[in-house]
Amino acid sequence: MKTYIGTKIIQAEPMDRRTFHDTIRPFHGWPEDAENEAGYKVMYSDSYVSWSPKDVFEAAYREITPEEQSLLI
């Protein structure tokens, strides 16, 4: 197999898992015994919204600089 690196521009904000499930995906419910954890609400260019654990998100993404922002169309 070959190795690849993917890139994408997303929007995100800090949001714990329970808040995400209570506000974004309430129809999935929240198990009473489930532990909450820090993470991010993530919105992709096609408007799909998901949640990512903090450590996974921060290993994959970094905030763009003002200079990079000015290049976006």
Side-chain angles (χ1 to χ4, degrees):
M1 295 187 98
K2 296 180 180 180
T3 303
Y4 296 84
I5 296 174
T7 60
K8 58 187 120 183
I9 296 173
I10 60 156
Q11 293 181 318
E13 64 181 329
M15 181 177 289
D16 63 63
R17 183 187 290 264
R18 183 174 196 134
T19 301
F20 180 81
H21 280 276
D22 287 350
T23 61
I24 307 301
R25 301 274 192 260
F27 52 88
H28 286 195
W30 181 262
E32 288 299 319
D33 61 347
E35 289 189 30
N36 198 8
E37 67 179 300
Y40 289 83
K41 171 186 165 186
V42 181
M43 187 166 62
Y44 298 91
S45 60
D46 63 358
S47 298
Y48 179 76
V49 177
S50 68
W51 183 87
S52 181
K54 184 177 189 293
D55 58 340
V56 172
F57 180 88
E58 291 177 353
Y61 296 103
R62 65 167 177 82
E63 189 172 353
I64 64 172
T65 66
E67 293 80 20
E68 291 168 326
Q69 179 70 39
S70 70
L71 297 174
L72 297 177
I73 296 174

Short mmCIF file of all heavy atoms in Angstrom, two decimals, residues 40-66:
data_model
loop_
_atom_site.label_atom_id
_atom_site.label_comp_id
_atom_site.label_asym_id
_atom_site.label_seq_id
_atom_site.Cartn_x
_atom_site.Cartn_y
_atom_site.Cartn_z
N TYR A 40 -14.68 18.56 19.55
CA TYR A 40 -15.03 19.64 18.63
C TYR A 40 -16.22 19.26 17.76
O TYR A 40 -16.30 18.13 17.28
CB TYR A 40 -13.85 19.94 17.69
CG TYR A 40 -12.70 20.63 18.36
CD1 TYR A 40 -11.75 19.90 19.07
CD2 TYR A 40 -12.56 22.00 18.29
CE1 TYR A 40 -10.68 20.53 19.69
CE2 TYR A 40 -11.50 22.64 18.91
CZ TYR A 40 -10.57 21.89 19.61
OH TYR A 40 -9.52 22.53 20.22
N LYS A 41 -17.11 20.21 17.58
CA LYS A 41 -18.15 20.12 16.55
C LYS A 41 -17.46 20.51 15.25
O LYS A 41 -16.78 21.54 15.18
CB LYS A 41 -19.28 21.08 16.87
CG LYS A 41 -20.31 21.22 15.77
CD LYS A 41 -21.29 22.31 16.13
CE LYS A 41 -22.11 22.73 14.94
NZ LYS A 41 -22.96 23.88 15.25
N VAL A 42 -17.61 19.70 14.21
CA VAL A 42 -16.92 19.93 12.94
C VAL A 42 -17.94 20.04 11.82
O VAL A 42 -18.84 19.21 11.70
CB VAL A 42 -15.95 18.76 12.63
CG1 VAL A 42 -15.22 18.99 11.32
CG2 VAL A 42 -14.97 18.57 13.77
N MET A 43 -17.81 21.09 10.97
CA MET A 43 -18.67 21.22 9.80
C MET A 43 -17.79 21.22 8.55
O MET A 43 -16.85 22.00 8.44
CB MET A 43 -19.51 22.49 9.83
CG MET A 43 -20.51 22.52 8.69
SD MET A 43 -21.82 23.76 8.82
CE MET A 43 -20.89 25.25 8.79
N TYR A 44 -18.14 20.32 7.63
CA TYR A 44 -17.39 20.17 6.39
C TYR A 44 -17.99 21.05 5.29
O TYR A 44 -19.08 21.60 5.46
CB TYR A 44 -17.40 18.70 5.98
CG TYR A 44 -16.71 17.83 7.00
CD1 TYR A 44 -17.43 17.25 8.05
CD2 TYR A 44 -15.34 17.63 6.96
CE1 TYR A 44 -16.80 16.48 9.02
CE2 TYR A 44 -14.71 16.86 7.91
CZ TYR A 44 -15.44 16.29 8.94
OH TYR A 44 -14.81 15.54 9.90
N SER A 45 -17.31 21.17 4.17
CA SER A 45 -17.73 22.07 3.09
C SER A 45 -19.10 21.71 2.51
O SER A 45 -19.78 22.56 1.96
CB SER A 45 -16.68 22.09 1.98
OG SER A 45 -16.50 20.79 1.45
N ASP A 46 -19.52 20.45 2.65
CA ASP A 46 -20.83 20.05 2.16
C ASP A 46 -21.91 20.20 3.23
O ASP A 46 -23.02 19.69 3.10
CB ASP A 46 -20.80 18.62 1.64
CG ASP A 46 -20.47 17.59 2.71
OD1 ASP A 46 -20.21 17.98 3.87
OD2 ASP A 46 -20.46 16.39 2.39
N SER A 47 -21.58 20.91 4.32
CA SER A 47 -22.48 21.19 5.46
C SER A 47 -22.72 19.99 6.37
O SER A 47 -23.54 20.07 7.27
CB SER A 47 -23.81 21.77 4.99
OG SER A 47 -23.59 23.00 4.35
N TYR A 48 -22.03 18.88 6.14
CA TYR A 48 -22.14 17.73 7.04
C TYR A 48 -21.52 18.11 8.38
O TYR A 48 -20.45 18.72 8.43
CB TYR A 48 -21.42 16.51 6.46
CG TYR A 48 -21.48 15.31 7.37
CD1 TYR A 48 -22.65 14.56 7.48
CD2 TYR A 48 -20.38 14.93 8.13
CE1 TYR A 48 -22.71 13.46 8.32
CE2 TYR A 48 -20.43 13.84 8.98
CZ TYR A 48 -21.60 13.11 9.06
OH TYR A 48 -21.66 12.03 9.90
N VAL A 49 -22.20 17.78 9.48
CA VAL A 49 -21.72 18.11 10.82
C VAL A 49 -21.42 16.83 11.58
O VAL A 49 -22.22 15.89 11.56
CB VAL A 49 -22.78 18.95 11.59
CG1 VAL A 49 -22.32 19.23 13.01
CG2 VAL A 49 -23.05 20.25 10.85
N SER A 50 -20.27 16.80 12.24
CA SER A 50 -19.90 15.65 13.05
C SER A 50 -19.19 16.12 14.31
O SER A 50 -19.01 17.31 14.52
CB SER A 50 -19.00 14.68 12.27
OG SER A 50 -17.74 15.27 12.03
N TRP A 51 -18.79 15.18 15.13
CA TRP A 51 -18.08 15.48 16.36
C TRP A 51 -16.79 14.68 16.37
O TRP A 51 -16.75 13.54 15.91
CB TRP A 51 -18.94 15.11 17.57
CG TRP A 51 -18.30 15.47 18.87
CD1 TRP A 51 -18.38 16.68 19.51
CD2 TRP A 51 -17.48 14.65 19.69
NE1 TRP A 51 -17.64 16.66 20.66
CE2 TRP A 51 -17.08 15.41 20.80
CE3 TRP A 51 -17.02 13.34 19.58
CZ2 TRP A 51 -16.25 14.91 21.80
CZ3 TRP A 51 -16.21 12.84 20.58
CH2 TRP A 51 -15.84 13.63 21.68
N SER A 52 -15.72 15.29 16.90
CA SER A 52 -14.42 14.63 16.96
C SER A 52 -13.84 14.79 18.36
O SER A 52 -13.88 15.90 18.93
CB SER A 52 -13.48 15.26 15.94
OG SER A 52 -12.22 14.65 15.96
N PRO A 53 -13.27 13.73 18.93
CA PRO A 53 -12.59 13.87 20.22
C PRO A 53 -11.45 14.89 20.12
O PRO A 53 -10.81 15.03 19.07
CB PRO A 53 -12.03 12.48 20.50
CG PRO A 53 -12.85 11.56 19.66
CD PRO A 53 -13.23 12.36 18.45
N LYS A 54 -11.19 15.60 21.21
CA LYS A 54 -10.19 16.67 21.24
C LYS A 54 -8.82 16.20 20.74
O LYS A 54 -8.21 16.85 19.89
CB LYS A 54 -10.08 17.21 22.67
CG LYS A 54 -9.15 18.39 22.83
CD LYS A 54 -9.17 18.88 24.29
CE LYS A 54 -8.45 20.17 24.50
NZ LYS A 54 -7.04 20.18 24.32
N ASP A 55 -8.33 15.08 21.24
CA ASP A 55 -6.99 14.64 20.85
C ASP A 55 -6.92 14.25 19.36
O ASP A 55 -5.94 14.57 18.68
CB ASP A 55 -6.49 13.50 21.74
CG ASP A 55 -7.38 12.28 21.73
OD1 ASP A 55 -8.56 12.38 21.35
OD2 ASP A 55 -6.89 11.20 22.13
N VAL A 56 -7.95 13.63 18.85
CA VAL A 56 -7.98 13.25 17.43
C VAL A 56 -8.03 14.49 16.56
O VAL A 56 -7.29 14.62 15.58
CB VAL A 56 -9.19 12.33 17.15
CG1 VAL A 56 -9.35 12.08 15.66
CG2 VAL A 56 -9.05 11.02 17.91
N PHE A 57 -8.91 15.44 16.93
CA PHE A 57 -9.05 16.68 16.16
C PHE A 57 -7.74 17.46 16.14
O PHE A 57 -7.27 17.88 15.08
CB PHE A 57 -10.16 17.54 16.75
CG PHE A 57 -10.36 18.84 16.02
CD1 PHE A 57 -11.22 18.91 14.94
CD2 PHE A 57 -9.68 19.99 16.41
CE1 PHE A 57 -11.40 20.10 14.26
CE2 PHE A 57 -9.85 21.18 15.73
CZ PHE A 57 -10.71 21.24 14.65
N GLU A 58 -7.14 17.66 17.31
CA GLU A 58 -5.93 18.48 17.39
C GLU A 58 -4.72 17.82 16.74
O GLU A 58 -3.78 18.52 16.35
CB GLU A 58 -5.67 18.87 18.84
CG GLU A 58 -6.74 19.85 19.33
CD GLU A 58 -6.61 20.25 20.79
OE1 GLU A 58 -5.76 19.69 21.52
OE2 GLU A 58 -7.37 21.15 21.21
N ALA A 59 -4.74 16.51 16.58
CA ALA A 59 -3.66 15.83 15.86
C ALA A 59 -3.81 15.99 14.35
O ALA A 59 -2.83 15.91 13.61
CB ALA A 59 -3.62 14.35 16.22
N ALA A 60 -5.05 16.26 13.88
CA ALA A 60 -5.31 16.32 12.45
C ALA A 60 -5.42 17.74 11.90
O ALA A 60 -5.20 17.96 10.71
CB ALA A 60 -6.59 15.56 12.12
N TYR A 61 -5.80 18.71 12.74
CA TYR A 61 -6.09 20.06 12.25
C TYR A 61 -5.32 21.12 13.02
O TYR A 61 -4.93 20.92 14.17
CB TYR A 61 -7.59 20.37 12.40
CG TYR A 61 -8.46 19.48 11.56
CD1 TYR A 61 -9.15 18.42 12.14
CD2 TYR A 61 -8.60 19.69 10.20
CE1 TYR A 61 -9.97 17.59 11.38
CE2 TYR A 61 -9.40 18.87 9.43
CZ TYR A 61 -10.09 17.82 10.03
OH TYR A 61 -10.88 17.02 9.27
N ARG A 62 -5.14 22.27 12.35
CA ARG A 62 -4.61 23.46 13.00
C ARG A 62 -5.41 24.64 12.47
O ARG A 62 -5.96 24.59 11.37
CB ARG A 62 -3.12 23.67 12.70
CG ARG A 62 -2.82 23.94 11.23
CD ARG A 62 -1.40 24.45 11.02
NE ARG A 62 -1.11 24.63 9.61
CZ ARG A 62 -1.46 25.69 8.88
NH1 ARG A 62 -2.13 26.68 9.42
NH2 ARG A 62 -1.15 25.77 7.60
N GLU A 63 -5.49 25.70 13.25
CA GLU A 63 -6.22 26.88 12.81
C GLU A 63 -5.43 27.57 11.70
O GLU A 63 -4.21 27.65 11.75
CB GLU A 63 -6.41 27.84 13.99
CG GLU A 63 -7.32 29.00 13.68
CD GLU A 63 -7.66 29.83 14.91
OE1 GLU A 63 -7.30 29.43 16.02
OE2 GLU A 63 -8.29 30.88 14.73
N ILE A 64 -6.15 28.05 10.68
CA ILE A 64 -5.45 28.73 9.59
C ILE A 64 -5.03 30.13 10.05
O ILE A 64 -5.64 30.72 10.93
CB ILE A 64 -6.28 28.80 8.30
CG1 ILE A 64 -7.54 29.64 8.48
CG2 ILE A 64 -6.62 27.42 7.81
CD1 ILE A 64 -8.29 29.87 7.18
N THR A 65 -3.98 30.63 9.44
CA THR A 65 -3.47 31.96 9.77
C THR A 65 -4.31 33.02 9.05
O THR A 65 -5.01 32.71 8.07
CB THR A 65 -2.01 32.11 9.32
OG1 THR A 65 -1.97 32.05 7.88
CG2 THR A 65 -1.13 31.03 9.92
N PRO A 66 -4.24 34.28 9.49
CA PRO A 66 -4.94 35.36 8.77
C PRO A 66 -4.51 35.43 7.30
O PRO A 66 -5.32 35.69 6.43
CB PRO A 66 -4.55 36.62 9.53
CG PRO A 66 -4.28 36.13 10.92
CD PRO A 66 -3.64 34.78 10.74
#
